């Protein structure tokens, strides 16, 4: 072969390779030519309030006062959270962008003894609804009668389980009991329904019930009828979108879910990679319910005659005794982005706020093998690794989900009207770590690109030089600039959307908030690896300034390129004199930002502290740190600390910076090994004895501790003394770093907290103990036996093998609160 021929061959190979690389990096989406048919045919409840407000829906999305609405729903169980914490819990959920609170009404919490109802204290449903109403939160009641929720017999009282004819079917004896229970709920919620200007807008009938035959569907419709006759007339009625259920009926909106793991699985090995991290038209997660039904086929959301709604996107996962996965924040957040990008028009989380199982008058109330379920759950701990944990602590997923919810709250009315389209190339299996995971939601030529570069238990590759082409209606093409997408990242990029009358052709930054002030501010966030770029039409623009400097237009467009390491302020001045501001935040600033209403205006607060706004005041909180700093946008000097703390303020560009500190409170906890545990056995049992350890196999014996303290052979014991909390500290978290099988904390012989070891610390909020002076606890650690057949994350199992079992360290972390008067409008 001569030299010239070989050069030509190499050139051809090079061209072929470059074409191959281009094709691998080039993704095309063809937008639908026609909008979907909008239909309103569903049989729901009263949707008008006396004041003229309304909630309704069509086959694609929900409507509020006749306008598209994107609900964000978070689950909290009032019966699993102390009444004294309800208000703060509601406010924390609201501050993170949750607009609807879902809660189960567990039957056995309220009628443990037949015909004896308890609705007081932590079971006061009406007071919980009143607090939701007071703080502008809507409510979705999940009334069962069977709820599951990892509660004993799914929430059925023990006395109900033996009734003649059986439960969960149209047995007249059973339905009579259901009618009586529903009447009780109806009375508790009287006047709290939307038709009475109250907060209750939705009702879920039953749970995890397959209405796949006329008989079973009739049972569901009978339950709905009984609920309505009991006064529970609401705009929306839902039911679990259980596999093979009748999805053509028009009375119950199916709601779907998906979890990062499946701790209910009987397997004690690592599970297959989840498909929940792939954009698709699947509405169901086949792993949900697999413990009861086996593996199920996916149900597609295409062709549904209801809005694609979720109610059980895992806000985390509750561990079981035999299966203890480690759930990272990204495990939760990535699948939420994927479901939104796949077309979901209601995001509902289970759980959004963890809690503590109460102990009943006759038994413990958690699900266990003793109640004929395949799983043993902790007696008390129902933390769920949720965004808000068992003790009210904010986990990292809270901050990441807050940025998604900000987008859904402020841009949701537009997003809800869009339909989903997928690119020409898609990963077919979750093990593909190279192909871009992407979808587009659009209405006409306007919409959003969704990208997820994360898969639980798989290292994704950094993607570089990705090119996205959107074939628009009318034949034109929109080309995004080459993108670099880091492993683990999620992105939402808008195209052809309206920004206060200006056309944003595209942006590689994510929409966050709209601050509806006299000069509105649209807030976006930058992604660390993706160059920040915005392109505006020059049509109505007279001038564009970025960080105080003019930007020149390029033909009929303004191209703005911004660094990702700091915030930027862009000012758009229209030819008619109207101004619009664009505030671009870093990703970490966005995670630590809160939108706060000030009269008829909006403020943005950026701080590494927690922010809990109410109608009267704003609480700023740190755990284990007494120094505070906040940035307020736009600069506002009217923030006043109530306690008279010395505050340093300065103006920094468009921000007001506030710095202050409160007196540090040194709290020392003492911990010593206890050699005489018998002295802690209560003379009289505090709680009823439970039977959960009956008939457990040696290979997986279940948790060996008890509700009333009893010594267990080979256990380790520690006497823990916590000092009295000063007035300046509301509460303090006891942080126990240990290794073992289980941890159980006792006070005066009664179990007050428990933990299945999964690698993280055991926590307890000492502020929940009503006490004077110091407090004494007994900590029992039962060592882990390697032969016990359970699943542990490999990193946790290695930690157990390398560590001597027992307490490694124990400390107490004070919680510092500072109250601000809400700035006047």
């Amino acid at each position: 072969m001569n030299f010239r021929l070989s050069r030509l061959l190499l050139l051809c190979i090079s061209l072929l390779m470059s074409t191959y690389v281009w094709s691998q990096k080039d993704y095309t989406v063809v937008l639908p030519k026609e909008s979907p048919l909008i239909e309103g045919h569903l049989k729901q409840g009263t949707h008008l309030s006396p004041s003229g407000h309304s909630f309704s829906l069509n086959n694609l999305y929900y409507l509020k006062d006749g306008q598209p609405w994107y609900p964000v729903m978070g689950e909290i169980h009032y019966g699993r959270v102390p009444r004294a914490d309800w208000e703060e819990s509601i406010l924390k959920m609201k501050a993170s962008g949750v607009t609807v609170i879902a809660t189960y009404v567990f039957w056995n919490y309220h009628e443990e003894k037949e015909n004896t109802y308890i609705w007081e204290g932590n079971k006061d449903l009406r007071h919980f609804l009143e607090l939701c109403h007071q703080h502008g939160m809507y409510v979705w009641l999940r009334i069962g009668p069977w709820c599951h929720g990892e509660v004993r017999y799914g929430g059925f009282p023990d006395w109900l389980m033996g009734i003649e004819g059986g439960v969960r079917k149209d047995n007249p004896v059973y339905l009579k009991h259901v009618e009586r229970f529903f009447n009780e709920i109806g009375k508790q919620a009287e006047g709290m329904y939307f038709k009475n200007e109250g907060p209750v807008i939705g009702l879920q009938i039953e749970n995890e019930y397959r209405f796949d035959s006329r008989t079973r569907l009739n049972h569901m419709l009978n339950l709905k009828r009984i609920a309505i006759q009991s006064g529970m007339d609401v705009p929306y009625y839902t039911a679990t979108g259980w596999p093979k259920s009748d999805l053509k009926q028009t009375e119950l909106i199916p709601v779907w879910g998906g979890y990062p793991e499946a701790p209910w699985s009987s397997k004690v090995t690592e599970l297959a990679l989840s498909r929940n991290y792939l954009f698709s038209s699947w509405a169901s997660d086949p792993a949900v319910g697999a413990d009861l039904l086996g593996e199920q086929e996916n149900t597609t959301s295409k062709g549904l005659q209801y809005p694609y709604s979720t109610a059980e996107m895992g806000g985390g996962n509750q561990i079981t005794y035999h299966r203890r996965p480690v759930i990272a924040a990204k495990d939760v957040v990535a699948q939420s982005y994927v479901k939104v990008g796949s077309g979901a028009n209601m995001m509902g989380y289970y759980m959004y706020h963890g809690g503590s199982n109460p102990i009943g008058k006759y038994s413990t109330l958690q699900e266990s093998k003793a109640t004929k379920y395949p799983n043993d759950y902790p007696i008390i701990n129902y933390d769920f690794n949720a965004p808000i944990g068992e003790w009210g602590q904010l986990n990292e997923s809270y901050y990441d989900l807050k940025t998604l919810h900000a987008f859904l709250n402020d841009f949701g009315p537009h997003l809800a009207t869009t339909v989903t389209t997928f690119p020409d190339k898609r990963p077919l299996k979750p093990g593909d770590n190279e192909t871009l995971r992407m979808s587009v939601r659009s209405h006409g030529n306007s919409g959003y690109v969704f990208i997820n570069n994360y898969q639980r238990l798989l290292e994704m590759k950094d993607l570089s030089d990705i090119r996205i082409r959107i074939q628009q209606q009318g034949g034109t093409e929109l080309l995004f600039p080459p993108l670099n997408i880091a492993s683990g990242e999620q992105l939402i990029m808008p195209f052809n959307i309206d920004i206060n009358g200006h056309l944003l052709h595209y942006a590689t930054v994510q929409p966050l908030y709209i601050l509806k002030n006299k000069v509105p501010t649209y807030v976006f966030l930058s992604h660390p690896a993706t160059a920040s770029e915005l392109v505006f039409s020059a049509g109505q623009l007279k001038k564009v300034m970025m960080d105080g400097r003019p930007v020149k237009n390029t033909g009929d467009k303004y191209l703005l390129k911004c660094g990702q390491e700091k915030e930027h302020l862009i000012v758009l001045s229209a030819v008619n004199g109207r101004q619009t501001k664009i505030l671009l935040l870093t990703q970490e600033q966005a995670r630590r930002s809160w939108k706060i209403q000030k009269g008829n205006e909006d403020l943005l607060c950026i701080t590494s502290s927690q922010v809990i706004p109410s109608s009267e005041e704003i609480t700023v909180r740190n755990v284990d740190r007494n120094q505070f700093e906040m940035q307020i946008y736009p600069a506002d000097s009217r923030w006043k600390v109530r306690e008279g703390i010395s505050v340093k303020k300065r103006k920094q560009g468009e921000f007001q910076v506030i710095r202050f500190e409160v007196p540090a409170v040194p709290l020392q906890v003492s911990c010593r090994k206890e050699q005489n545990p018998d002295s802690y056995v209560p003379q009289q049992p505090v709680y009823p004895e439970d039977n959960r350890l009956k008939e457990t196999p040696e290979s997986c014996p279940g948790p060996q501790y008890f509700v009333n303290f009893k010594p267990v052979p080979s256990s380790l014991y520690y006497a823990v003394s916590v000092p009295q909390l000063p007035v300046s500290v509301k509460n303090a978290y006891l942080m126990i770093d240990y290794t073992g099988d289980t941890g159980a904390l006792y006070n005066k012989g009664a179990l007050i907290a428990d933990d299945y070891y999964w690698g993280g610390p055991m926590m307890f909020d000492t502020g929940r103990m009503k006490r004077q002076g110091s407090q004494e606890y007994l900590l029992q650690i039962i060592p882990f036996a390697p032969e016990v057949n359970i699943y542990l994350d490999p990193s946790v199992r290695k930690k157990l093998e390398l560590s001597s079992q027992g307490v490694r360290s124990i400390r107490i972390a004070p919680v510092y609160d500072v109250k601000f008067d809400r700035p006047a409008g």
Side-chain angles (χ1 to χ4, degrees), residues 474-515:
T476 58
E477 181 179 88
L478 188 152
L479 178 64
F480 276 81
L483 303 172
N484 296 330
I485 302 162
S487 173
E489 283 298 304
Q490 292 77 47
L491 292 80
I492 302 174
M493 302 186 300
F495 61 91
N496 294 330
I497 68 168
D498 178 80
I499 301 292
N500 197 31
H502 302 292
L503 178 62
L504 176 60
H505 283 293
Y506 70 80
T508 61
V509 292
Q510 182 167 318
L512 193 61
Y513 302 106
I514 303 174
L515 306 183

Side-chain angles (χ1 to χ4, degrees), residues 67 75 404 466 549:
Q67 299 300 313
E75 186 99 8
L404 174 61
I466 296 297
R549 296 174 182 172

Side-chain angles (χ1 to χ4, degrees), residues 74-78 80-98 101 128 131-132 135 137 352-355 387-394 398 611-613 621 730 733 765 768:
E75 186 99 8
I76 177 176
H77 298 153
Y78 61 93
R80 281 171 158 154
V81 177
R83 177 189 177 111
D85 293 345
W86 285 352
E87 184 168 27
E88 185 174 287
S89 295
I90 292 166
L91 291 171
K92 287 175 181 174
M93 294 176 74
K94 182 177 182 178
S96 70
V98 171
I101 281 180
F128 183 78
L131 287 172
C132 290
H135 295 293
M137 295 291 277
Y352 201 80
H353 192 308
I388 306 174
E390 177 182 12
W391 311 109
Q393 74 274 21
L394 303 189
Y398 177 93
V611 177
I612 310 170
R621 171 172 298 167
K730 175 188 173 184
Y733 295 131
D765 180 359
R768 289 194 181 176

